[in-house]
Amino acid sequence: MANFSTRKNVAVSDATLEITQIKSAIGGKQSQRDTLRSLGLKRIGHTVTRKADEVTVGMVNTVPHLVKVEEANHG
């Protein structure tokens, strides 16, 4: 549906998000690598599905340049 790959624009909602790592964390800050790992992302192209709660949205907004976020389609 909507592509939220720009900075700081994912909001808390009841939606389910598909989060895909699109760039490498190599050369990035340790906190950014830790954030990707906390989201469950392990490599470029890896996708995880998470609820759009405060914690997940905060993590996604911390590394928006490394991930692509889409709303999961349920149907």
Side-chain angles (χ1 to χ4, degrees):
M1 290 183 118
N3 185 2
F4 300 115
S5 60
T6 56
R7 190 161 184 69
K8 306 271 187 193
N9 65 345
V10 178
V12 176
S13 67
D14 293 333
T16 301
L17 304 176
E18 287 183 353
I19 306 162
T20 304
Q21 184 175 345
I22 59 169
K23 290 182 82 176
S24 172
I26 294 173
K29 295 179 182 175
Q30 183 64 45
S31 62
Q32 292 175 348
R33 290 193 294 263
D34 293 343
T35 300
L36 288 176
R37 185 60 68 165
S38 295
L39 283 167
L41 297 169
K42 299 180 179 179
R43 68 190 82 80
I44 295 173
H46 189 211
T47 301
V48 294
T49 304
R50 303 274 303 255
K51 292 284 185 192
D53 58 7
E54 293 92 355
V55 174
T56 302
V57 168
M59 287 192 284
V60 167
N61 286 334
T62 301
V63 291
H65 56 292
L66 301 177
V67 297
K68 177 179 73 171
V69 181
E70 298 174 324
E71 258 187 65
N73 294 333
H74 291 294

